[in-house]
Amino acid sequence: MTDPQRADETDFAVALADAARTVDMVIDRLIPVPEGLEARVFEAMRYAALGPGKRLRPFLVLAGSRLFGVSRRSGLQAAAAVEMVHAYSLVHDDLPAMDNSDLRRGRPTCHKAFDDATAVLAGDGLLTLAFEGLAQPDTHGDPGVRCELIAALALAAGNQGMVGGQMIDLIAEHRPDLDIGAITRLQRLKTGALIAFSCEAGAILGKAPHEARQALRGYAHDLGLAFQIADDLLDVEGSPEKTGKPVGQDAAAGKATFVSILGIERARAHAELLVTQAVAHLDLFDRNAEPMRQAARFVVERRA
Ligand code: GRG
């Protein structure tokens, strides 16, 4: 007899790989390499955005879009935009002025494969292109919806989201005394906001009712924190071979994280509780929400 959990994991792996393949086709189309001296920055953008990542954010956009009957084409435009913003954040985060990392997704980081200045420009190019893509009529026939999507992504990526969170994170490196409330806020901004956008994009595209949006917001809120705790655990328990990036960096920097504050066992238990809560927010949706339920479980069970 088939183990239902195994079957779920297989379904999820297939769906994640499918989302990755299709979103990569859209990104590939959005970043053609032109003739001329500027080609180098396009090559660096492609290196960063088409590298071997999980594509979890695009998956969430497509899974959320499915709940509201959004066309595949619209969902993919939003999925490509969020992945390009994510890729930009990784490129800039790895720079010598920030985390100074040499390894990302099992390969040299963008500034190692190219150079620092090109990596800065590649990040800038990806961020800008994400919004250019969302503004295209392919994203949605209604310009009001495109505007709403652009505003939501700007909010998630900007000072009140990822950029603000990254600023706090840089300061936190010299503040090992930060408590769990401060760390929760930091992570909610740094990684949670973009994950929340990914979960809500389909609701925006599908002009979903308030109640459905609230449910997705609750799901995203818990999922984002669970994702970050899992990331902190991987930094302690993972290996560079599996994660494709250096591990042990938080402890080496003396940084306060969920794991340094709660310890491994309580951190894992907290992540599992958050996943249960995240899934409960989806109760008002039918079987179409199954991929989102599976994504929540994947987030805490992942090894990379
Ligand atoms: C530079 C403005 C700016 C922001 C950087 C998100 C971020 C802020 C930095 C990334 C650093 C980091 C490792 C954060 C932990 C959580 C995280 C975003 C992990 C990487 O995301 P995954 O696991 O990566 O989805 P893949 O490679 O699968 O896409």
Side-chain angles (χ1 to χ4, degrees):
M1 237 178 47
T2 323
D3 172 352
Q5 193 183 337
R6 270 283 165 76
D8 268 8
E9 282 169 14
T10 309
D11 285 355
F12 179 77
V14 170
L16 188 62
D18 179 60
R21 201 171 36 248
T22 44
V23 80
D24 282 5
M25 282 162 63
V26 178
I27 296 174
D28 178 61
R29 202 189 62 222
L30 285 167
I31 321 178
V33 180
E35 296 287 331
L37 296 178
E38 73 274 32
R40 184 172 169 81
V41 74
F42 288 79
E43 296 284 8
M45 287 163 72
R46 293 177 64 85
Y47 181 83
L50 294 168
K54 293 183 288 297
R55 309 293 190 266
L56 179 65
R57 293 157 192 80
F59 175 88
L60 290 169
V61 174
L62 295 175
S65 297
R66 182 173 149 171
L67 292 177
F68 307 105
V70 171
S71 75
R72 183 94 169 151
R73 188 153 98 156
S74 290
L76 279 168
Q77 286 285 115
V82 78
E83 186 62 20
M84 288 193 290
V85 171
H86 171 59
Y88 126 76
S89 80
L90 300 181
V91 171
H92 281 197
D93 186 62
D94 289 333
L95 284 167
M98 297 217 192
D99 259 12
N100 195 16
S101 286
D102 293 354
L103 190 69
R104 166 75 62 188
R105 294 171 162 175
R107 307 183 306 171
T109 44
C110 189
H111 67 277
K112 284 283 164 191
F114 292 83
D115 57 79
D116 293 3
T118 305
V120 170
L121 290 176
D124 295 341
L126 285 167
L127 177 63
T128 315
L129 186 58
F131 291 99
E132 190 185 323
L134 285 185
Q136 288 172 357
D138 267 3
T139 304
H140 200 283
D142 180 346
V145 169
R146 300 205 293 273
C147 238
E148 196 185 334
L149 208 56
I150 288 168
L153 182 57
L155 214 58
N159 301 349
Q160 295 181 59
M162 192 171 66
V163 169
Q166 180 76 349
M167 185 73 254
I168 304 174
D169 196 37
L170 292 171
I171 292 169
E173 279 178 25
H174 312 286
R175 294 282 309 274
D177 59 310
L178 288 186
D179 65 11
I180 190 136
I183 297 296
T184 302
R185 178 161 182 271
L186 182 176
Q187 300 301 356
R188 191 162 289 155
L189 296 176
K190 190 178 118 177
T191 43
L194 209 57
I195 289 180
F197 170 82
S198 308
C199 297
E200 284 181 53
I204 296 174
L205 286 166
K207 301 186 182 179
H210 176 75
E211 196 195 3
R213 286 192 191 203
Q214 279 299 105
L216 286 173
R217 232 165 259 165
Y219 165 82
H221 182 274
D222 293 332
L223 182 77
L225 272 187
F227 178 91
Q228 187 57 50
I229 296 175
D231 207 72
D232 288 354
L233 284 164
L234 283 173
D235 193 61
V236 175
E237 301 180 315
S239 66
E241 293 74 35
K242 286 212 171 129
T243 61
K245 60 185 179 185
V247 295
Q249 286 195 311
D250 295 340
K255 224 162 125 179
T257 67
F258 286 110
V259 174
S260 75
I261 295 172
L262 297 175
I264 291 182
E265 291 316 317
R266 281 176 64 208
R268 184 172 293 113
H270 191 48
E272 273 157 22
L273 177 71
L274 285 164
V275 166
T276 309
Q277 274 179 200
V279 171
H281 283 293
L282 301 176
D283 281 353
L284 84 161
F285 300 111
D286 59 13
R287 274 197 56 77
N288 278 333
E290 208 45 43
M292 292 189 109
R293 296 186 183 101
Q294 290 168 354
R297 287 176 214 116
F298 164 79
V299 153
V300 286
E301 282 158 18
R302 71 198 169 98
R303 293 283 166 265

